[in-house]
Amino acid sequence: MAYQLTHEAEAFINFRDHTFPGPGSHGFRWVDVKHLRLPAEPPGDRELLAALIRHEQFRDDYAGGGVQPDGTRHGPYWLSALTPDVYEAVGHEKSAHILAEWANRPGPVPAELAAALRREVSDRLAAADQVYYLSGLGEEAFHDWGGVHGDFHEFVWVDRAAGRLTLLVAADD
């Protein structure tokens, strides 16, 4: 049975909208968060990941093109390279560490940005039952211009109590 997710909401946090103390540019760093409603009788996580990959909202190159319903790209990767098997189950602590290390490079984020990240990212991550991290694809899975992102971190959070799956992408371009 092919389960379906329903797009519910999204948030976009642009680091360019905040003034950072000290050296370093954060002009092209951002976090994109997409929330999808779980089916009434949600399946196991593997089936949820497959439903996410099939979803229209997953066809986003995250390079200005937005969601392309018939698209063949997801972030820097060919859509065909993505399966539930490329997502690694990770703990809350590891994912929070990856995101904090990325966000705070080369220095701490301003208070206003930290509050937005806490509200849209940290608080939702803490509520998740399960966290998955897209890992191990490598450059062989890049599409024709897939190297445009300096960093590309993707997480999927399953929050069964809230009936929600969240796709989070944090990237530099």
Side-chain angles (χ1 to χ4, degrees), residues 77-96:
Y77 306 111
W78 289 114
L79 186 61
S80 60
L82 295 154
T83 67
D85 294 334
V86 299
Y87 288 88
E88 170 191 3
V90 295
H92 292 83
E93 188 174 305
K94 180 177 180 177
S95 38

Side-chain angles (χ1 to χ4, degrees), residues 102-169:
W102 171 82
N104 288 303
R105 189 177 12 98
V109 299
E112 183 181 332
L113 178 57
L117 290 170
R118 187 171 35 262
R119 181 180 61 254
E120 295 295 335
V121 179
S122 304
D123 292 349
R124 294 177 190 270
L125 170 61
D129 301 309
Q130 187 62 52
V131 180
Y132 293 93
Y133 183 57
L134 177 63
S135 61
L137 286 178
E139 290 184 16
E140 62 274 3
F142 279 179
H143 56 67
D144 47 348
W145 46 269
V148 300
H149 298 98
D151 278 324
F152 185 86
H153 298 286
E154 179 174 319
F155 294 89
V156 177
W157 303 329
V158 179
D159 183 345
R160 291 184 182 276
R164 180 180 299 126
L165 179 144
T166 298
L167 170 63
L168 177 136
V169 171

Side-chain angles (χ1 to χ4, degrees), residues 16-35:
R16 186 178 4 198
D17 296 339
H18 303 276
T19 304
F20 283 76
S25 171
H26 296 273
F28 300 102
R29 303 181 89 203
W30 46 265
V31 175
D32 186 275
V33 183
K34 296 178 183 179
H35 302 291

